Amino acid sequence: MSDRQLDVREAVDTVVERLGPVVERIFARDISMILVAMLGIYVLFTIFGFLLIPSDALVGGLANTLQRVTFLTAVYAMLVLALNLHWGYTGLFNIGVAGFMAVGVYTVAVLTNPTTASPPGLGVPMAFAATLPIDPGVAHFLGLLFSVLVGMLAAAVVGAIAAVPALRLRADYLAIVTVALSEIIRLSLLSTTLQEFTLPVAGVELGTGAGRGINLPTNPVRAIYYNDPTNTAAGLTPVGEAIFPAVDAVGINSTVVVGWTYTLFLILVVAGFYWLLVRIGNSPFGRILKAIREDEEVAQSLGKDTRVVKVKVFMVGCALMGLAGILWEGSKGFTDPTSTTFLPLQTFYVFIALIIGGAGSNTGSVLGGALFASLLFEGPTFVARIFSEYLELDTAPRTFAEAFGELFALDPTPMLAYGLENISALRFVLLGLLLIVLMQYRPEGLLGHRTEEAAAVDLRDRSPAAAADGGGGDE
Amino acid sequence: MGTADILASGRDLTVERPAAVLVGVLAALLALDFVAKIAGFELTVGSTHLLGGSLPIERLLTLVWDGLVMGLAIGLAGIGLSMTYSILSFANFSHGDLVTSGAFAGWAVTFLIAGLVSGQGDVGYLLSVGSGQGPTSADLAINVVSTPLAIVLGLVVAIAATIVLSLLIDRLVYEPMRGEGAISLLIASIGVALVLRYLIVFVFTGTNRGLTSGGGRLRVLGEEGRLVFEAVVNQPGQPREVLFSLGLPVVRFGDYTAELMNVTSNELTLVVIAVSLMAGLHVLLQRTKLGKSMRAMADNEDLARVTGIPTERVIRATWLIGGGLTGASGYLIALERGTLSFNLGWVLLLLIFAAVILGGIGSVYGAMAGGVVIGLANTVSLVWIPSSFTTAAAFAIMILMLLFKPEGLFGGVTTA
């Protein structure tokens, strides 16, 4: 090795030595790692906003963009955490996430739609409001909560139906069974046979709306601002009166305020998911899960009924996926089976996010969700828009062939313009490449550490001597 | 075995595997209903329909033929998947997109030749399988009867291109990961699937395009009780031409008048080529050392290597054969359907998996038989359920198979 290389190395070492403790202190706590990542994402998208949004609409546009990014981060974080319970903790390769989401969402839709609607539902919140001897608004909300709980339960039950037999199978068979199940669910929801039907015995009319879609309950967050959540003309609540004019003065739309309120609520839910997963992970139950992941036979030989444990954890994860789906689609007030939320692709998104973050790590899951939603999902579109805004390219050719033909004339700009125009396709190519590269070079992701202490207490403060003989055990 | 033994074993089965018995009873009921439907027998209690109904023979024949065509296509596509599954031991989720890649590569050439021969469309339009402005599929009039050369060359290119693509992907993606777990490779293959599918969208756009138009067809008719075979050629813009019409005067079925079967020349091409490719593969794997090496590797890779089998070469041969058949299946499926879009293979992938699992992973016959079963399930299930559930029915069969007989119909690893 030459002297110069050594110099560079020394310099790098000094920098690392000086910065190391600072970085370590910041990243020692998981929460600050997530906060720093979110801050970075916000700074990036603020720069995007400055480059793209005309200055007179800047504040409103930025508020909108950041809300969307945060919202997507939150829903992906929930889904990734739920999947982390299956794949990261227990090693169950479930690629039917989209199907379990759909079960939750459609159960809520069927339960909450009024009996008179098209497609008809069961009208649970209305029944609550009519029968409970309390304020109708509160009763309606309770009915909604009840429906969400039933939705989670339904997702868990479908999960159990899949899990009880399928968990006996090899991991790759479980993958095929779950993805086939999610397709069966999606195709059934698309079927016109179930668009509107009468339950054979009970005689109750129900429907999934098939390809036309189905309404979901109005976002209850709206009740904070509007007297009547379904009708903006009915006037504002005192909170709405206070906030809307103030934000309107800086150019932020009222819908963005409602969106942010809902997003903040989702962040709380993510925190709840995180807490639940940490609790599960540190419980005796969680230790069985990790034992199953590492070596199921060992867990069995220690007298653990791994089958029951696997079914249980599968149900919990599916319920969480159902809840994540409900909260995601619930923000729109409408859903249909063609929405990308329920495509098998959605499952792969969640997987990519989990693998980026690192399977097995809860902080990694949230981080993976955030990085996926911002950099990979939303980012490419913004970058493409910035390029087309500032490069002043000619109109993009309509086909690849035309753009390719121009390459022979040594003019790469039509190809560039075509690429920017079709960034949505290239984004998927990027996702696929990333997945391959991650699996080849860093299958453990950013924070995935498969060697974990079985103890519930932090063992990182061990004496150096103890660490020397005990640590470093890789899988 | 005496009656008592049978009863005893039946009782044991009911106690030990109630779900299996339930599925068996359900299958028996469906079979009974099927027979009753063909016989035209219907059993109703009050106003509730219990069993049977009517299933005209011509409808059944059409369903069976459609199922057979689809099944052979799926089986052909499944062989490649089955081979890589058994030899590299991972479920290749990019297999469906290899099917699509083969179809696009082949049809680009077919379009080019058909367009150049008839002097329509520019090269860019033709090579991108009709993206943008140019002659329609009716203008190009591609079908087996009018443009056989374009079809054959397209098929050859589809096979060659998919082989090159599979070998390239193996070199870049899977070779550095040899020895990793099945799930790591599976996840990487999902990445490959995304790359392939959306590169196709990028180059060929995401539209669903028409490919073929016109062609010949063989018909079997009942004409007042007489069985008639008829060959018709129907080219776009030209009058219908009856090549021959052959009546069988011997047997008469009352005054039966209906179209019993209607086989297009494109369907027939698929069936003939698929069956010959499968037969060729059978000979190859049975008679050559390669087939034996593959079986050895599928059984135990380490043991095969110490025995002196050049495992890397066998893996390459696997991709070569599997990729070629996959490309051919993609091309032929597109030919039979007459349309092509970027998610052709992805939509088929689960059905292909179903066929492979049904037949037993690693078994080439299994893939063929599984393909036919899945194809038939996909069409014949129309007798009982609406068309929106047929794919779900095929998946359900696969799931049941995995649960009750995960080693498949042809059991175990055989690769022949």
PDB file of all heavy atoms in Angstrom, chain A residues 87 165 168-169 172-173 177 191 193 355 400 418 425 428 432 440, chain B residues 85 172-173 183 187 191 198 202-203 361 386 388-389 402-403:
ATOM      1  N   TRP A  87     -42.313 -11.689   8.731  1.00  0.00           N
ATOM      2  CA  TRP A  87     -41.083 -12.081   8.049  1.00  0.00           C
ATOM      3  C   TRP A  87     -39.863 -11.798   8.916  1.00  0.00           C
ATOM      4  O   TRP A  87     -39.002 -12.651   9.087  1.00  0.00           O
ATOM      5  CB  TRP A  87     -41.016 -11.364   6.706  1.00  0.00           C
ATOM      6  CG  TRP A  87     -39.710 -11.469   5.966  1.00  0.00           C
ATOM      7  CD1 TRP A  87     -38.959 -10.428   5.509  1.00  0.00           C
ATOM      8  CD2 TRP A  87     -39.022 -12.659   5.586  1.00  0.00           C
ATOM      9  NE1 TRP A  87     -37.849 -10.903   4.878  1.00  0.00           N
ATOM     10  CE2 TRP A  87     -37.855 -12.262   4.910  1.00  0.00           C
ATOM     11  CE3 TRP A  87     -39.265 -14.014   5.770  1.00  0.00           C
ATOM     12  CZ2 TRP A  87     -36.936 -13.171   4.409  1.00  0.00           C
ATOM     13  CZ3 TRP A  87     -38.345 -14.927   5.262  1.00  0.00           C
ATOM     14  CH2 TRP A  87     -37.202 -14.502   4.591  1.00  0.00           C
ATOM     15  N   PRO A 165     -53.539 -24.371   7.667  1.00  0.00           N
ATOM     16  CA  PRO A 165     -52.929 -25.440   6.860  1.00  0.00           C
ATOM     17  C   PRO A 165     -51.583 -25.054   6.253  1.00  0.00           C
ATOM     18  O   PRO A 165     -50.681 -25.883   6.187  1.00  0.00           O
ATOM     19  CB  PRO A 165     -53.960 -25.689   5.765  1.00  0.00           C
ATOM     20  CG  PRO A 165     -54.777 -24.460   5.694  1.00  0.00           C
ATOM     21  CD  PRO A 165     -54.640 -23.726   6.962  1.00  0.00           C
ATOM     22  N   ARG A 168     -47.695 -25.344   7.616  1.00  0.00           N
ATOM     23  CA  ARG A 168     -46.956 -26.598   7.658  1.00  0.00           C
ATOM     24  C   ARG A 168     -45.969 -26.671   6.511  1.00  0.00           C
ATOM     25  O   ARG A 168     -45.047 -27.466   6.518  1.00  0.00           O
ATOM     26  CB  ARG A 168     -47.933 -27.769   7.512  1.00  0.00           C
ATOM     27  CG  ARG A 168     -48.671 -28.100   8.773  1.00  0.00           C
ATOM     28  CD  ARG A 168     -49.550 -29.288   8.499  1.00  0.00           C
ATOM     29  NE  ARG A 168     -50.282 -29.115   7.230  1.00  0.00           N
ATOM     30  CZ  ARG A 168     -51.172 -29.971   6.778  1.00  0.00           C
ATOM     31  NH1 ARG A 168     -51.439 -31.045   7.444  1.00  0.00           N
ATOM     32  NH2 ARG A 168     -51.817 -29.744   5.646  1.00  0.00           N
ATOM     33  N   LEU A 169     -46.237 -25.849   5.489  1.00  0.00           N
ATOM     34  CA  LEU A 169     -45.485 -25.992   4.236  1.00  0.00           C
ATOM     35  C   LEU A 169     -44.148 -25.287   4.292  1.00  0.00           C
ATOM     36  O   LEU A 169     -43.880 -24.480   5.167  1.00  0.00           O
ATOM     37  CB  LEU A 169     -46.303 -25.415   3.083  1.00  0.00           C
ATOM     38  CG  LEU A 169     -47.670 -26.036   2.876  1.00  0.00           C
ATOM     39  CD1 LEU A 169     -48.453 -25.222   1.883  1.00  0.00           C
ATOM     40  CD2 LEU A 169     -47.514 -27.459   2.414  1.00  0.00           C
ATOM     41  N   ASP A 172     -41.298 -21.345   0.631  1.00  0.00           N
ATOM     42  CA  ASP A 172     -41.648 -20.878  -0.712  1.00  0.00           C
ATOM     43  C   ASP A 172     -43.074 -21.297  -1.078  1.00  0.00           C
ATOM     44  O   ASP A 172     -43.744 -20.600  -1.837  1.00  0.00           O
ATOM     45  CB  ASP A 172     -40.631 -21.363  -1.758  1.00  0.00           C
ATOM     46  CG  ASP A 172     -40.307 -22.833  -1.619  1.00  0.00           C
ATOM     47  OD1 ASP A 172     -40.683 -23.413  -0.594  1.00  0.00           O
ATOM     48  OD2 ASP A 172     -39.687 -23.387  -2.535  1.00  0.00           O
ATOM     49  N   TYR A 173     -43.554 -22.409  -0.517  1.00  0.00           N
ATOM     50  CA  TYR A 173     -44.948 -22.776  -0.760  1.00  0.00           C
ATOM     51  C   TYR A 173     -45.882 -21.802  -0.052  1.00  0.00           C
ATOM     52  O   TYR A 173     -46.918 -21.416  -0.595  1.00  0.00           O
ATOM     53  CB  TYR A 173     -45.220 -24.199  -0.263  1.00  0.00           C
ATOM     54  CG  TYR A 173     -44.699 -25.285  -1.169  1.00  0.00           C
ATOM     55  CD1 TYR A 173     -43.974 -24.978  -2.311  1.00  0.00           C
ATOM     56  CD2 TYR A 173     -44.943 -26.615  -0.900  1.00  0.00           C
ATOM     57  CE1 TYR A 173     -43.494 -25.973  -3.137  1.00  0.00           C
ATOM     58  CE2 TYR A 173     -44.474 -27.623  -1.717  1.00  0.00           C
ATOM     59  CZ  TYR A 173     -43.745 -27.296  -2.835  1.00  0.00           C
ATOM     60  OH  TYR A 173     -43.276 -28.283  -3.652  1.00  0.00           O
ATOM     61  N   VAL A 177     -48.913 -19.788  -1.728  1.00  0.00           N
ATOM     62  CA  VAL A 177     -50.286 -19.863  -1.205  1.00  0.00           C
ATOM     63  C   VAL A 177     -50.800 -18.465  -0.847  1.00  0.00           C
ATOM     64  O   VAL A 177     -51.916 -18.094  -1.193  1.00  0.00           O
ATOM     65  CB  VAL A 177     -50.358 -20.803   0.022  1.00  0.00           C
ATOM     66  CG1 VAL A 177     -51.691 -20.663   0.724  1.00  0.00           C
ATOM     67  CG2 VAL A 177     -50.156 -22.238  -0.400  1.00  0.00           C
ATOM     68  N   SER A 191     -65.489  -9.418  -8.986  1.00  0.00           N
ATOM     69  CA  SER A 191     -66.549 -10.187  -9.632  1.00  0.00           C
ATOM     70  C   SER A 191     -67.894  -9.471  -9.568  1.00  0.00           C
ATOM     71  O   SER A 191     -68.302  -8.988  -8.508  1.00  0.00           O
ATOM     72  CB  SER A 191     -66.663 -11.541  -8.949  1.00  0.00           C
ATOM     73  OG  SER A 191     -67.912 -12.103  -9.223  1.00  0.00           O
ATOM     74  N   THR A 193     -70.625 -10.902  -9.740  1.00  0.00           N
ATOM     75  CA  THR A 193     -71.563 -11.749  -8.994  1.00  0.00           C
ATOM     76  C   THR A 193     -71.775 -11.213  -7.583  1.00  0.00           C
ATOM     77  O   THR A 193     -72.863 -11.317  -7.022  1.00  0.00           O
ATOM     78  CB  THR A 193     -71.009 -13.185  -8.902  1.00  0.00           C
ATOM     79  OG1 THR A 193     -70.447 -13.524 -10.157  1.00  0.00           O
ATOM     80  CG2 THR A 193     -72.092 -14.155  -8.537  1.00  0.00           C
ATOM     81  N   ILE A 355     -37.099  -4.738   3.291  1.00  0.00           N
ATOM     82  CA  ILE A 355     -35.735  -5.192   3.029  1.00  0.00           C
ATOM     83  C   ILE A 355     -34.765  -4.011   3.079  1.00  0.00           C
ATOM     84  O   ILE A 355     -33.646  -4.142   3.573  1.00  0.00           O
ATOM     85  CB  ILE A 355     -35.670  -5.935   1.681  1.00  0.00           C
ATOM     86  CG1 ILE A 355     -36.421  -7.259   1.821  1.00  0.00           C
ATOM     87  CG2 ILE A 355     -34.237  -6.198   1.262  1.00  0.00           C
ATOM     88  CD1 ILE A 355     -36.696  -7.941   0.530  1.00  0.00           C
ATOM     89  N   PHE A 400     -40.991   4.689 -27.959  1.00  0.00           N
ATOM     90  CA  PHE A 400     -39.591   4.375 -27.722  1.00  0.00           C
ATOM     91  C   PHE A 400     -38.835   4.305 -29.038  1.00  0.00           C
ATOM     92  O   PHE A 400     -37.690   4.749 -29.134  1.00  0.00           O
ATOM     93  CB  PHE A 400     -39.506   3.028 -26.990  1.00  0.00           C
ATOM     94  CG  PHE A 400     -38.105   2.572 -26.717  1.00  0.00           C
ATOM     95  CD1 PHE A 400     -37.404   3.074 -25.647  1.00  0.00           C
ATOM     96  CD2 PHE A 400     -37.500   1.630 -27.534  1.00  0.00           C
ATOM     97  CE1 PHE A 400     -36.120   2.652 -25.391  1.00  0.00           C
ATOM     98  CE2 PHE A 400     -36.213   1.207 -27.285  1.00  0.00           C
ATOM     99  CZ  PHE A 400     -35.515   1.716 -26.217  1.00  0.00           C
ATOM    100  N   TYR A 418     -38.202  11.149 -23.442  1.00  0.00           N
ATOM    101  CA  TYR A 418     -39.094   9.986 -23.385  1.00  0.00           C
ATOM    102  C   TYR A 418     -38.993   9.307 -22.016  1.00  0.00           C
ATOM    103  O   TYR A 418     -39.986   8.910 -21.426  1.00  0.00           O
ATOM    104  CB  TYR A 418     -38.726   9.000 -24.499  1.00  0.00           C
ATOM    105  CG  TYR A 418     -39.614   7.785 -24.555  1.00  0.00           C
ATOM    106  CD1 TYR A 418     -40.907   7.871 -25.053  1.00  0.00           C
ATOM    107  CD2 TYR A 418     -39.177   6.557 -24.079  1.00  0.00           C
ATOM    108  CE1 TYR A 418     -41.727   6.765 -25.090  1.00  0.00           C
ATOM    109  CE2 TYR A 418     -39.990   5.445 -24.110  1.00  0.00           C
ATOM    110  CZ  TYR A 418     -41.266   5.555 -24.618  1.00  0.00           C
ATOM    111  OH  TYR A 418     -42.085   4.465 -24.647  1.00  0.00           O
ATOM    112  N   ALA A 425     -42.730   4.010 -15.387  1.00  0.00           N
ATOM    113  CA  ALA A 425     -42.244   2.668 -15.722  1.00  0.00           C
ATOM    114  C   ALA A 425     -40.807   2.502 -15.235  1.00  0.00           C
ATOM    115  O   ALA A 425     -40.451   1.468 -14.670  1.00  0.00           O
ATOM    116  CB  ALA A 425     -42.331   2.428 -17.226  1.00  0.00           C
ATOM    117  N   PHE A 428     -40.301   1.556 -11.595  1.00  0.00           N
ATOM    118  CA  PHE A 428     -40.406   0.142 -11.260  1.00  0.00           C
ATOM    119  C   PHE A 428     -39.114  -0.594 -11.590  1.00  0.00           C
ATOM    120  O   PHE A 428     -38.703  -1.496 -10.855  1.00  0.00           O
ATOM    121  CB  PHE A 428     -41.564  -0.499 -12.021  1.00  0.00           C
ATOM    122  CG  PHE A 428     -42.900  -0.097 -11.494  1.00  0.00           C
ATOM    123  CD1 PHE A 428     -43.732   0.720 -12.218  1.00  0.00           C
ATOM    124  CD2 PHE A 428     -43.319  -0.545 -10.258  1.00  0.00           C
ATOM    125  CE1 PHE A 428     -44.963   1.090 -11.732  1.00  0.00           C
ATOM    126  CE2 PHE A 428     -44.551  -0.183  -9.765  1.00  0.00           C
ATOM    127  CZ  PHE A 428     -45.374   0.640 -10.502  1.00  0.00           C
ATOM    128  N   GLY A 432     -36.908  -2.713  -9.002  1.00  0.00           N
ATOM    129  CA  GLY A 432     -36.464  -4.084  -9.229  1.00  0.00           C
ATOM    130  C   GLY A 432     -34.957  -4.201  -9.085  1.00  0.00           C
ATOM    131  O   GLY A 432     -34.450  -5.107  -8.420  1.00  0.00           O
ATOM    132  N   GLN A 440     -28.222  -9.077  -3.254  1.00  0.00           N
ATOM    133  CA  GLN A 440     -26.872  -9.563  -3.541  1.00  0.00           C
ATOM    134  C   GLN A 440     -25.845  -9.036  -2.545  1.00  0.00           C
ATOM    135  O   GLN A 440     -24.968  -9.753  -2.119  1.00  0.00           O
ATOM    136  CB  GLN A 440     -26.463  -9.173  -4.956  1.00  0.00           C
ATOM    137  CG  GLN A 440     -27.145 -10.032  -6.009  1.00  0.00           C
ATOM    138  CD  GLN A 440     -26.554  -9.813  -7.383  1.00  0.00           C
ATOM    139  OE1 GLN A 440     -25.826  -8.858  -7.606  1.00  0.00           O
ATOM    140  NE2 GLN A 440     -26.888 -10.680  -8.308  1.00  0.00           N
TER     141      GLN A 440
ATOM    142  N   TYR B  85     -36.891 -24.642 -10.812  1.00  0.00           N
ATOM    143  CA  TYR B  85     -37.300 -24.837  -9.418  1.00  0.00           C
ATOM    144  C   TYR B  85     -36.565 -26.029  -8.825  1.00  0.00           C
ATOM    145  O   TYR B  85     -36.058 -25.978  -7.699  1.00  0.00           O
ATOM    146  CB  TYR B  85     -38.816 -25.057  -9.353  1.00  0.00           C
ATOM    147  CG  TYR B  85     -39.477 -24.641  -8.065  1.00  0.00           C
ATOM    148  CD1 TYR B  85     -40.803 -24.226  -8.049  1.00  0.00           C
ATOM    149  CD2 TYR B  85     -38.790 -24.654  -6.859  1.00  0.00           C
ATOM    150  CE1 TYR B  85     -41.424 -23.844  -6.884  1.00  0.00           C
ATOM    151  CE2 TYR B  85     -39.404 -24.268  -5.679  1.00  0.00           C
ATOM    152  CZ  TYR B  85     -40.720 -23.872  -5.703  1.00  0.00           C
ATOM    153  OH  TYR B  85     -41.336 -23.486  -4.543  1.00  0.00           O
ATOM    154  N   LEU B 172     -25.954 -12.513 -14.328  1.00  0.00           N
ATOM    155  CA  LEU B 172     -25.881 -11.254 -13.576  1.00  0.00           C
ATOM    156  C   LEU B 172     -26.501 -11.361 -12.186  1.00  0.00           C
ATOM    157  O   LEU B 172     -26.024 -10.752 -11.241  1.00  0.00           O
ATOM    158  CB  LEU B 172     -26.592 -10.138 -14.352  1.00  0.00           C
ATOM    159  CG  LEU B 172     -25.946  -9.710 -15.656  1.00  0.00           C
ATOM    160  CD1 LEU B 172     -26.796  -8.678 -16.355  1.00  0.00           C
ATOM    161  CD2 LEU B 172     -24.554  -9.163 -15.410  1.00  0.00           C
ATOM    162  N   VAL B 173     -27.590 -12.096 -12.093  1.00  0.00           N
ATOM    163  CA  VAL B 173     -28.343 -12.057 -10.839  1.00  0.00           C
ATOM    164  C   VAL B 173     -28.150 -13.314 -10.005  1.00  0.00           C
ATOM    165  O   VAL B 173     -27.774 -13.236  -8.838  1.00  0.00           O
ATOM    166  CB  VAL B 173     -29.854 -11.845 -11.111  1.00  0.00           C
ATOM    167  CG1 VAL B 173     -30.617 -11.771  -9.800  1.00  0.00           C
ATOM    168  CG2 VAL B 173     -30.064 -10.596 -11.929  1.00  0.00           C
ATOM    169  N   ILE B 183     -35.324 -18.319  -0.282  1.00  0.00           N
ATOM    170  CA  ILE B 183     -36.115 -17.092  -0.181  1.00  0.00           C
ATOM    171  C   ILE B 183     -35.333 -15.895  -0.716  1.00  0.00           C
ATOM    172  O   ILE B 183     -35.891 -15.020  -1.376  1.00  0.00           O
ATOM    173  CB  ILE B 183     -36.560 -16.868   1.277  1.00  0.00           C
ATOM    174  CG1 ILE B 183     -37.542 -17.972   1.691  1.00  0.00           C
ATOM    175  CG2 ILE B 183     -37.197 -15.520   1.457  1.00  0.00           C
ATOM    176  CD1 ILE B 183     -38.835 -17.984   0.931  1.00  0.00           C
ATOM    177  N   ILE B 187     -36.739 -13.536  -3.642  1.00  0.00           N
ATOM    178  CA  ILE B 187     -36.897 -12.084  -3.577  1.00  0.00           C
ATOM    179  C   ILE B 187     -36.156 -11.427  -4.742  1.00  0.00           C
ATOM    180  O   ILE B 187     -36.677 -10.514  -5.389  1.00  0.00           O
ATOM    181  CB  ILE B 187     -36.404 -11.544  -2.219  1.00  0.00           C
ATOM    182  CG1 ILE B 187     -37.262 -12.119  -1.084  1.00  0.00           C
ATOM    183  CG2 ILE B 187     -36.456 -10.026  -2.189  1.00  0.00           C
ATOM    184  CD1 ILE B 187     -36.757 -11.781   0.293  1.00  0.00           C
ATOM    185  N   GLY B 191     -37.389  -8.954  -8.002  1.00  0.00           N
ATOM    186  CA  GLY B 191     -36.723  -7.783  -8.571  1.00  0.00           C
ATOM    187  C   GLY B 191     -36.541  -7.924 -10.068  1.00  0.00           C
ATOM    188  O   GLY B 191     -36.826  -6.998 -10.835  1.00  0.00           O
ATOM    189  N   TYR B 198     -41.265  -3.825 -16.511  1.00  0.00           N
ATOM    190  CA  TYR B 198     -41.385  -2.394 -16.762  1.00  0.00           C
ATOM    191  C   TYR B 198     -40.404  -1.912 -17.812  1.00  0.00           C
ATOM    192  O   TYR B 198     -40.621  -0.841 -18.375  1.00  0.00           O
ATOM    193  CB  TYR B 198     -41.348  -1.630 -15.446  1.00  0.00           C
ATOM    194  CG  TYR B 198     -42.660  -1.868 -14.734  1.00  0.00           C
ATOM    195  CD1 TYR B 198     -42.806  -2.862 -13.789  1.00  0.00           C
ATOM    196  CD2 TYR B 198     -43.791  -1.158 -15.114  1.00  0.00           C
ATOM    197  CE1 TYR B 198     -44.030  -3.132 -13.197  1.00  0.00           C
ATOM    198  CE2 TYR B 198     -45.020  -1.422 -14.539  1.00  0.00           C
ATOM    199  CZ  TYR B 198     -45.131  -2.404 -13.585  1.00  0.00           C
ATOM    200  OH  TYR B 198     -46.360  -2.662 -13.036  1.00  0.00           O
ATOM    201  N   PHE B 202     -41.638   0.253 -20.856  1.00  0.00           N
ATOM    202  CA  PHE B 202     -40.890   1.416 -21.319  1.00  0.00           C
ATOM    203  C   PHE B 202     -40.676   1.358 -22.826  1.00  0.00           C
ATOM    204  O   PHE B 202     -40.813   2.353 -23.529  1.00  0.00           O
ATOM    205  CB  PHE B 202     -39.542   1.471 -20.592  1.00  0.00           C
ATOM    206  CG  PHE B 202     -38.743   2.704 -20.878  1.00  0.00           C
ATOM    207  CD1 PHE B 202     -39.196   3.941 -20.459  1.00  0.00           C
ATOM    208  CD2 PHE B 202     -37.552   2.637 -21.570  1.00  0.00           C
ATOM    209  CE1 PHE B 202     -38.476   5.090 -20.713  1.00  0.00           C
ATOM    210  CE2 PHE B 202     -36.818   3.770 -21.837  1.00  0.00           C
ATOM    211  CZ  PHE B 202     -37.288   5.006 -21.411  1.00  0.00           C
ATOM    212  N   VAL B 203     -40.351   0.170 -23.328  1.00  0.00           N
ATOM    213  CA  VAL B 203     -40.028   0.054 -24.750  1.00  0.00           C
ATOM    214  C   VAL B 203     -41.287  -0.112 -25.600  1.00  0.00           C
ATOM    215  O   VAL B 203     -41.424   0.539 -26.643  1.00  0.00           O
ATOM    216  CB  VAL B 203     -39.067  -1.134 -24.984  1.00  0.00           C
ATOM    217  CG1 VAL B 203     -38.816  -1.355 -26.466  1.00  0.00           C
ATOM    218  CG2 VAL B 203     -37.754  -0.889 -24.270  1.00  0.00           C
ATOM    219  N   ILE B 361     -43.014 -30.524  -8.422  1.00  0.00           N
ATOM    220  CA  ILE B 361     -41.898 -29.692  -8.853  1.00  0.00           C
ATOM    221  C   ILE B 361     -40.754 -30.567  -9.348  1.00  0.00           C
ATOM    222  O   ILE B 361     -40.375 -31.530  -8.688  1.00  0.00           O
ATOM    223  CB  ILE B 361     -41.456 -28.786  -7.709  1.00  0.00           C
ATOM    224  CG1 ILE B 361     -42.486 -27.674  -7.546  1.00  0.00           C
ATOM    225  CG2 ILE B 361     -40.091 -28.189  -7.978  1.00  0.00           C
ATOM    226  CD1 ILE B 361     -42.364 -26.916  -6.286  1.00  0.00           C
ATOM    227  N   PRO B 386     -69.493 -18.605 -12.018  1.00  0.00           N
ATOM    228  CA  PRO B 386     -69.379 -17.539 -13.016  1.00  0.00           C
ATOM    229  C   PRO B 386     -67.931 -17.333 -13.454  1.00  0.00           C
ATOM    230  O   PRO B 386     -66.995 -17.686 -12.731  1.00  0.00           O
ATOM    231  CB  PRO B 386     -69.923 -16.307 -12.293  1.00  0.00           C
ATOM    232  CG  PRO B 386     -70.006 -16.661 -10.872  1.00  0.00           C
ATOM    233  CD  PRO B 386     -70.021 -18.126 -10.749  1.00  0.00           C
ATOM    234  N   SER B 388     -65.984 -14.967 -13.517  1.00  0.00           N
ATOM    235  CA  SER B 388     -65.061 -14.157 -12.719  1.00  0.00           C
ATOM    236  C   SER B 388     -64.372 -14.977 -11.639  1.00  0.00           C
ATOM    237  O   SER B 388     -63.445 -14.501 -11.011  1.00  0.00           O
ATOM    238  CB  SER B 388     -65.792 -12.970 -12.111  1.00  0.00           C
ATOM    239  OG  SER B 388     -67.016 -13.373 -11.569  1.00  0.00           O
ATOM    240  N   PHE B 389     -64.828 -16.217 -11.430  1.00  0.00           N
ATOM    241  CA  PHE B 389     -64.222 -17.015 -10.367  1.00  0.00           C
ATOM    242  C   PHE B 389     -63.373 -18.173 -10.879  1.00  0.00           C
ATOM    243  O   PHE B 389     -62.839 -18.936 -10.084  1.00  0.00           O
ATOM    244  CB  PHE B 389     -65.300 -17.587  -9.448  1.00  0.00           C
ATOM    245  CG  PHE B 389     -65.908 -16.554  -8.551  1.00  0.00           C
ATOM    246  CD1 PHE B 389     -67.214 -16.148  -8.732  1.00  0.00           C
ATOM    247  CD2 PHE B 389     -65.161 -15.965  -7.545  1.00  0.00           C
ATOM    248  CE1 PHE B 389     -67.768 -15.187  -7.920  1.00  0.00           C
ATOM    249  CE2 PHE B 389     -65.711 -15.012  -6.728  1.00  0.00           C
ATOM    250  CZ  PHE B 389     -67.022 -14.614  -6.909  1.00  0.00           C
ATOM    251  N   LEU B 402     -51.380 -28.278  -2.553  1.00  0.00           N
ATOM    252  CA  LEU B 402     -50.255 -28.021  -1.654  1.00  0.00           C
ATOM    253  C   LEU B 402     -50.540 -28.549  -0.260  1.00  0.00           C
ATOM    254  O   LEU B 402     -49.645 -29.003   0.445  1.00  0.00           O
ATOM    255  CB  LEU B 402     -49.992 -26.512  -1.579  1.00  0.00           C
ATOM    256  CG  LEU B 402     -49.097 -25.946  -2.652  1.00  0.00           C
ATOM    257  CD1 LEU B 402     -48.957 -24.457  -2.491  1.00  0.00           C
ATOM    258  CD2 LEU B 402     -47.723 -26.591  -2.558  1.00  0.00           C
ATOM    259  N   LEU B 403     -51.814 -28.463   0.133  1.00  0.00           N
ATOM    260  CA  LEU B 403     -52.144 -28.857   1.490  1.00  0.00           C
ATOM    261  C   LEU B 403     -52.180 -30.371   1.647  1.00  0.00           C
ATOM    262  O   LEU B 403     -51.756 -30.905   2.658  1.00  0.00           O
ATOM    263  CB  LEU B 403     -53.495 -28.261   1.894  1.00  0.00           C
ATOM    264  CG  LEU B 403     -53.528 -26.741   1.866  1.00  0.00           C
ATOM    265  CD1 LEU B 403     -54.878 -26.237   2.311  1.00  0.00           C
ATOM    266  CD2 LEU B 403     -52.437 -26.185   2.767  1.00  0.00           C
TER     267      LEU B 403
END
